[in-house]
């Protein structure tokens, strides 16, 4: 049951993120930062819902089995943008390696913001994204 609810919430998040992404054209790094901003904004505005979406125990298997990303729209969108970034920038790291780095950073940074430990800083997000991709 929790997994079904998480899939619905993920679909809603993904649709809202895609509306914001429609304003960004072409550059995958800009798309990644925009997606990061969206997720951080959601974490900040509704930490309980995003905590449920990102960390509830029924979701963990989705991260473990790559074929499951099709049922989890936000994860699918994130992987799509990262795959595009790896290709555009001809990165040496794999999509999965970059996904783990980006996903961990966004969740951690969003958590710090939602708890009032730090204030959101777009420049920091862009700098971190650039460092995480580690271009050749």
């Amino acid at each position: 049951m929790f997994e079904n609810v998480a899939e619905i919430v993920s679909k809603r998040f993904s649709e809202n993120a895609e509306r914001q992404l429609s304003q960004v054209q072409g550059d995958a790094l800009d798309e990644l930062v925009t997606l990061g901003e969206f997720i951080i904004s959601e974490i900040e505005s509704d930490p309980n819902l995003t905590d449920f979406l990102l960390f509830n125990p029924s979701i963990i298997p989705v991260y473990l089995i790559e074929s499951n990303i099709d049922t989890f729209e936000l994860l699918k969108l994130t992987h799509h943008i990262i795959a595009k970034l790896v290709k555009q920038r001809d990165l040496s790291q794999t999509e999965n390696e970059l996904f783990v780095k980006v996903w961990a950073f966004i969740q951690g940074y969003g958590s710090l913001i939602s708890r009032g430990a730090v204030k959101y800083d777009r420049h920091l997000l862009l700098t971190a994204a650039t460092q995480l991709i580690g271009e050749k």
Side-chain angles (χ1 to χ4, degrees):
M1 180 171 142
F2 285 130
E3 186 175 337
N4 292 338
V5 172
E7 286 177 19
I8 292 167
V9 172
S10 176
K11 183 173 173 45
R12 192 193 84 201
F13 270 48
S14 182
E15 290 169 350
N16 291 339
E18 286 176 354
R19 276 193 280 285
Q20 288 188 11
L21 287 166
S22 70
Q23 306 300 314
V24 179
Q25 298 297 322
D27 185 59
L29 181 59
D30 288 341
E31 290 178 8
L32 184 63
V33 170
T34 300
L35 179 63
E37 286 181 312
F38 170 78
I39 294 171
I40 288 168
S41 172
E42 292 296 316
I43 291 171
E44 187 176 22
S45 66
D46 197 343
N48 292 330
L49 184 60
T50 52
D51 192 57
F52 169 78
L53 179 64
L54 301 174
F55 299 113
N56 90 65
S58 67
I59 292 302
I60 302 306
V62 173
Y63 294 118
L64 302 176
I65 303 171
E66 195 169 303
S67 63
N68 283 339
I69 68 169
D70 287 338
T71 62
F72 195 69
E73 292 293 326
L74 182 61
L75 190 59
K76 182 178 175 180
L77 177 61
T78 305
H79 273 282
H80 171 75
I81 292 170
I82 290 173
K84 183 177 175 181
L85 180 62
V86 168
K87 185 175 180 179
Q88 273 186 0
R89 305 281 173 126
D90 192 28
L91 301 177
S92 59
Q93 61 190 308
T94 68
E95 175 190 333
N96 284 332
E97 290 170 339
L98 185 55
F99 168 78
V100 169
K101 291 177 185 180
V102 167
W103 201 245
F105 177 79
I106 292 299
Q107 290 179 7
Y109 188 44
S111 181
L112 289 170
I113 292 167
S114 73
R115 287 168 174 72
V118 297
K119 293 203 181 295
Y120 174 71
D121 179 345
R122 187 181 202 299
H123 179 72
L124 174 67
L125 182 62
L126 180 57
T127 300
T130 303
Q131 291 173 348
L132 288 171
I133 67 171
E135 292 186 83
K136 291 181 181 178

